[in-house]
């Protein structure tokens, strides 16, 4: 949990433009630490489900492993692009890494959003192998990555209509995430505080 908090905090700090421009040395070292911890945690997650056998179902293990592989690939590409001084590409790969690393958070928030919006556990079961579980397991990192790619495309687009559509989609995803965050705080963390 401490590593997750550290990697999330480091990732958020990296997104601050003033940090990158005014303290590039700090940005580089925090970035290296972020990538190393993310790689360690991704490999750890894969090890936990396949070697330690902590999986609830094969489909959940495949989803966790997929997230781990995406973290590893994005993290290594972010590092490589920075080393090559291809900064625009590095920035995109670093943002992809951050989104993939946040997959566990998005999964938790997604579960709570689904339960609150459907007022049930529809499509869910104890082994995370129900239809909703499968969609949330893979969607927890694929949907945020798709939203990020949509953001990149909209930022680069000339069409105001496309920019508006992308904004509406990102806003809708943000609203769903807000519902999930509320549910996570109220039903997962609140009772234990």
């Amino acid at each position: 949990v401490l590593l997750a908090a550290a990697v999330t905090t480091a990732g958020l700090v990296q997104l601050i433009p003033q940090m990158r421009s005014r303290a590039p040395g700090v940005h580089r070292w925090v970035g290296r630490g972020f990538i190393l911890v993310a790689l360690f945690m991704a490999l750890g997650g894969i090890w936990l489900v396949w070697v330690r056998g902590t999986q609830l179902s094969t489909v959940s293990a495949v989803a966790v492993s997929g997230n781990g592989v995406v973290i590893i690939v994005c993290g290594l590409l972010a590092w490589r692009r920075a080393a090559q001084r291809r900064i625009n590409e590095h920035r995109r790969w670093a943002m992809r890494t951050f989104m993939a690393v946040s997959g566990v958070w998005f999964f938790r928030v997604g579960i709570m959003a689904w339960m609150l919006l459907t007022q049930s556990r529809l499509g869910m079961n104890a082994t995370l192998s129900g239809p909703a579980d499968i969609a949330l397991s893979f969607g927890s990192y694929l949907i945020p990555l798709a939203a990020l790619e949509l953001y990149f495309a909209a930022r680069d687009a000339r069409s105001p209509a496309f920019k508006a559509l992308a904004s509406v989609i990102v806003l809708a995803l943000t609203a769903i995430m807000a519902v999930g965050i509320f549910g996570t705080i109220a039903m997962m963390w609140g009772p234990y505080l």
Side-chain angles (χ1 to χ4, degrees):
V1 173
L2 181 60
L3 282 176
V7 78
T8 300
T9 302
L12 290 171
V13 167
Q14 293 297 84
L15 297 175
I16 301 170
Q18 294 81 3
M19 175 67 138
R20 293 191 306 265
S21 62
R22 295 185 184 151
V26 173
H27 172 77
R28 279 191 291 276
W29 281 104
V30 170
R32 289 175 183 139
F34 171 79
I35 296 290
L36 287 173
V37 171
L39 294 175
F40 174 75
M41 291 178 67
L43 291 169
I46 293 168
W47 178 79
L48 281 171
V49 297
W50 296 111
V51 177
R52 242 349 268 263
T54 57
Q55 57 184 274
L56 294 173
S57 66
T58 302
V59 72
S60 71
V62 170
V64 166
S65 301
N67 193 11
V69 168
V70 170
I71 291 168
I72 292 166
V73 170
C74 290
L76 292 175
L77 286 169
W79 192 309
R80 179 85 174 132
R81 294 304 182 261
Q84 295 170 334
R85 303 279 190 251
R86 293 160 63 178
I87 301 306
N88 286 336
E89 291 176 46
H90 159 71
R91 187 173 296 124
R92 287 183 181 226
W93 283 109
M95 290 175 73
R96 290 176 183 122
T97 305
F98 180 75
M99 294 301 262
V101 166
S102 301
V104 172
W105 166 250
F106 289 130
F107 181 64
R108 190 173 305 270
V109 168
I111 287 173
M112 298 316 296
W114 178 257
M115 289 172 57
L116 287 173
L117 293 172
T118 65
Q119 293 295 303
S120 70
R121 293 179 174 264
L122 179 68
M124 303 173 109
N125 62 41
T127 61
L128 295 179
S129 58
D133 296 318
I134 293 169
L136 290 165
S137 294
F138 288 96
S140 65
Y141 57 96
L142 296 176
I143 293 171
L145 285 169
L148 180 62
E149 293 304 319
L150 179 64
Y151 164 77
F152 289 151
R155 192 178 64 186
D156 298 340
R158 294 178 189 257
S159 166
F162 180 72
K163 287 178 183 281
L165 176 63
S167 296
V168 167
I169 292 170
V170 170
L171 186 60
L173 290 171
T174 303
I176 292 168
M177 197 166 91
V179 170
I181 291 169
F182 169 78
T184 301
I185 292 168
M187 295 190 292
M188 286 182 160
W189 296 340
Y192 300 102
L193 295 178

